[in-house]
Each structure stands twice: as structure tokens, then as C-alpha cells.
Amino acid sequence: MRKVSSFAVPHLQEYTKTSFSLISKDFISHFSSLPSTSTNPINGYQQISPQSSNTHLKSCSKTQSLHFSNVKTQQSQPFNTLVEQNPSQLSSRQRKIKERSQLEEAFESAKTIQEMIQVFQEMEVSFDERELGLPCLRIGLKLDQEGEDPEKALSFANKALNVLDRDDKLSLPLAMTLQLLGSICYSLKRFNDSLGYLNRANRVLDKLVKDGSCSDEDVRPILHAVQLELCNTKTAMGRREEALANLRKSLELKEMTLERDSKELGKANRDVAEAYVAILHFKEALPFCLKALDIHKAQLGQNSVEVAHDRRLLGVIYTGLEEHEKALEQNQLSQKVLKNWGLDTDLLRAEIDAANMQIALGRYDEAINTLKVVVQQTGRESEDRAMVFISMAKALCNQEKFTDAEKCLEIASGILGKKEKTSPVEVAEAYMEISMLYETMDKFEAAISLLKRTLAMLEKLPQEQHSVGSVSARVGWLLLLTGGVQHAIPFLEDAAERLKESFGSKHYAVGYVYNNLGAAYLELDRPQSAAQVFAYAKDIMDVSLGPHHTDTIEACQNLSKAYAAMGSYQLAINFQEKAIEAWEGHGPSAVDELKEAHRLLEQLKKKASGVSDGNMMKALPLANSSEHIVVSAIERQRNATKMLNQ
């Protein structure tokens, strides 16, 4: 997979080859295409890389800030005539000019990184340090592209920065150097450093356009690379909502440059759809996936591999939207294409997907029969075989055949246990699914034990902090469910910080966790803390789910309970009345809930009748006005936690 920064190498090669001082003056005569994106299939983690195309952008018209010497264009003319003179007749100055010219030509013609570095070492003797910024940049880009020695790439990138970042002068080479440093730091897992360089590159490019030094067309290729690197870096840091914004920006830049039905645009739209799926925003993912499918069908035909991948992703999206018949239809269409192309591995996984869709539709026997056929196609120690047995266990659980289901999970766990070091992310995801099945069978201790094992694996992976938060939240919820309230709180608090960072403070999962943490505080007779957390939960759910969603109403009633426990009955009554009003909007489907809500209200009124207004406590602030409150919890109720770990 090519590095994002690799798009810049051919740009530097197109410079004027007469003098490095001229190269710096005439920087970027043509840009090659905006890079496209490619993504690992629907695993929630994206490394995005460019591919080339035929799009070219105009040169930057104002690059005076790129001059690093006083050598003028006219100096290039004597080089040809000097060669014809007898070397003994050359003056010392002419001989030096000739040597420089020969070194420049040697550097330009160098094919390998070893050749480039060898010539560069000779250049260090003949050239001033300020003239070596662009050669350092070019070597750094080449090293980053090859990806074999990031430390050496970092050394050359820093040398380039020392030359190009002087006198407060902004330039495209400076922006390219900052983007390169961001890419290298990403490779070295120095994500904070990467983010700093990339954000500065973004600012430099913005200022170059605003002050008229360069046009949007000049800046667009580098800006696109910066946006992709920001997406990769923020994803690795678990900041997926922010990463998605950068990915959307990169798509917009592509749309400004490429043809409407370009294949690259099809892939870019699918990347965005996959990013939305990773954070469970299936509704938002749908239009991007459909657009990718339309483009690929038009450009490549119904039976192309790209169309098959689009349909498989579309099946996942429809599953998330609980439109299981549509999901199965897309899956079957995808399977036909994959089979025609002989893509056995992709076909096998699509067949496992199909079985899971059949389970979602309640067609358990059909799913089991599908899996019995698929398991014959897997290796005895393969991850695919483990996934087949997990899906089999899922179907058996739904049939309440728990003994058989446990046997399937034992086989799957035995296979996965041997692959923890080689495939930690995939194994962790499988463990999470197994733990949910144990949970379904009320085997809570087994579920908690497996989740703690999963945590130990994921905590070593910086790019999986969102998963660490999700698993911590589930461990906390299970401990709360089984009476380990005191032990649950640290897990919930850790989950809070990680998931807020990953999914944003208004994600519905955050609301579920706050709701459960509030229950833990009430259990420990800490009603004020509970009220604070329930207030957060209600505020988030009002935004993410709407005030009439059943979970939002439950959060409102929980807030009422917390105020009642504090003796603030009037406030408790106010929130309970809001809950009743919301339940009334559900009509006949919520008759029992409405009846219970009225019963609770009458209890509150009786208790309130003996309490004076002077003893009432003030309402606690909602989430958006609680800067001084340390609240630490993000969890979801049982069904919501399952979605986070899909």
C-alpha cells in the first residue's frame, strides 16, 4: 500500500534540472493526480493511501518565497558551453559551477534511494546548506514512500524543515515538508507529533491561498494528502468523528478535480461509507455506499469486483438499519460476482455474513445449514473457521440449545487463542462477540473474564482506544448487573473518557453509559452524583435520539428518581411529568409504561406533601454547563453495547 506522501515524489522530479536554485524558483510546474483512497474491509479502522491518475493542476504563479539563492535563470545557459571548453582553461569559479551542474544532474538521474543519498553526500561539500532543502525533502519523501527506515526519513525531513522554515516565509515546499513529517510520525506511532505537523501544514496551505501566493488548484493536491493523513492519525488516536470530517474533506477535494463518474470517486465514496459504518452511523453511510455502487456499475459493469465489494458493504449497512431482507439480497448478489471471479476468501466471508443475516431474520435452521457447508471450506486452524463456529453458536443460542452453543464457542476460542499475537484486532473482535453470547446464556463470569482478556490485548494498540472504551463499558455494565457495583465504576469511568474522545460527547453510546453509571451511584447511595450523571445522559439522548425515544424517557425518569433520593421532590415531580408527557406520545404501544409512570408520580406527590420548599435542592446543570463537574462514565444498555462491538 502506497504512502500518502508518495504522491509528492514525482512532483519534485518534474522540476527544472539545470540548478537547484532554479528548482526552488520554479517549484511545481505540474502536479500529478489527487490520490485516491483504499480501506480495509469494514473493520472500523482505515489506513488511507493514494493511487495515481491523469489529472494535472496548473503551476503556482507566485513562488518568490521559495528562493534559496541568488542564482538567476540566465545562469543555466553557460552550463552547455562550459562543457565544450578545455578543463585546463576553466577558471576556479567556472570549474565549481560545472561540478555543481554535474552533481545536480546526477541527483536528478538517481534511481534508487542509495544512489540519491550517495550523490547528496557529495553535494554537501559543494552546496550551501540553504540550497539543500529541496533535495532533503525529496530524499525524505522517497524514504517515506518505501517505508523501510522511518528514522532516516525523519532525519532528512527535519533537515528540509530547518532550511524551508526560515524568516516566517510560507511556501508549498514548507507545507509538503510538514505533511511529510506528519506521515513519518504516524509511521513511528508518534500520533501527537503527527497531528501537530499536519495541522500546521493545513494552516500554511490556507494562508497561501488567502494571501494570493497560490491558487486553490496549486494547493489542492497537498491539501488532499494532508486531509488523508489527518484522517489516518485521528483514527489511530481513536478520534473517529474528527477523522471522518477529514475524510469527507478529502472527498470534496476529489470531487473538485476528478470526473463525476471517476472510479476513484467511487472508491472514495465507499471509504466514507465504511467510516460511517465504523461509528455505527448506518443512515449516513447509505447514500455514500449507493453512490459508490452507481459509479462502479456505470464504469465497470454489474459483474465487477468493486461492485461486489460495494454490495457486501451495503448488506452490512442494511443490517445495521435492521432491513435484513435487503441486506440478504445485496449479499446474494455480491456472492454471485465473487464466485465468478474465483475470490474464494471473500466469498467465504460473504457466506458467513449471509448466515448472520438469516439469524437476524429468525431463519435459524437455514443459517445452520449454510454454516455446515461453509465450515467444510475452512482450514482447521483458520480464523474463518472460528467465525463459522461463533455464528453457529449464535444460531443455537437463539434456539436455546445452550450446551451445543457452548461447545461451538469452546472450539472458536481454542482457535483464536493461538492467534492473539499475530492478529490481535481480529481476535479481540471475535472475543467480544463470544462474550456477548456468554452473556445471552447468563454465563456472566465467563463473559467478564473474556472481556478482561480482550482489554489486555487492545490496550497495547493505540489505534484501538475506541474498542478499549467499548469493552471497558461492557465490563462495567456486567459487573453492575451481577452486583459488583464498586468494581464497575472504574471501568465505566475509563470508558467514559475513551469513548468521548472516540465518538464525540453527544454520541448516543455516551448517554447509555452515563445512564448506567447513574444507576451505580444510586446503588452506592450517592444520589447527587447520580443526578449529575443522569442529567448528562438525558441531555445527550435528547440530542442524539430525540426527547420521545424510549431510552431518553427512561433517562428522564432516572433523573427524577435521583432528585427524589436527594429529597428534591418538586424537581423529581417536574421530570416525572415530562416523562409522562413523552410516554403519552407513544399511544397504545406504551400503555403499561404510562401506567407505571403515573404510579411513580403519585408516590412523589405524596412524599412532596410533607416537605417544605425551603428544603428543596437546586437542579444540577445539564451536560453543556458542567465545566467544573468531573463526570466519568460512558456505557450503554445491553442492546446498545452489542451494536458498538459489531
Side-chain angles (χ1 to χ4, degrees), residues 27 57 118 137 169 184 265-266 291 362 381 413-414 424 429 505 532 577:
F27 185 81
L57 302 177
Q118 183 177 352
L137 172 58
K169 291 182 179 179
I184 296 168
L265 271 186
K291 187 172 181 180
E381 299 297 327
S413 296
E429 290 174 352
S505 61
Q532 291 170 351
E577 287 175 342

Side-chain angles (χ1 to χ4, degrees), residues 29-44:
S29 60
H30 290 286
F31 277 106
S32 64
S33 72
L34 286 174
S36 71
T37 58
S38 62
T39 314
N40 296 328
I42 320 166
N43 61 4

Side-chain angles (χ1 to χ4, degrees), residues 49 83 122 174 278 363 447 543 574:
S49 63
V83 175
E122 296 179 30
L174 173 59
R363 291 150 55 175
V543 174
N574 290 342

Side-chain angles (χ1 to χ4, degrees), residues 540-556:
I540 293 165
M541 291 182 177
D542 278 340
V543 174
S544 60
L545 302 176
H548 290 88
H549 191 280
T550 56
D551 293 326
T552 307
I553 301 171
E554 289 291 347
C556 188

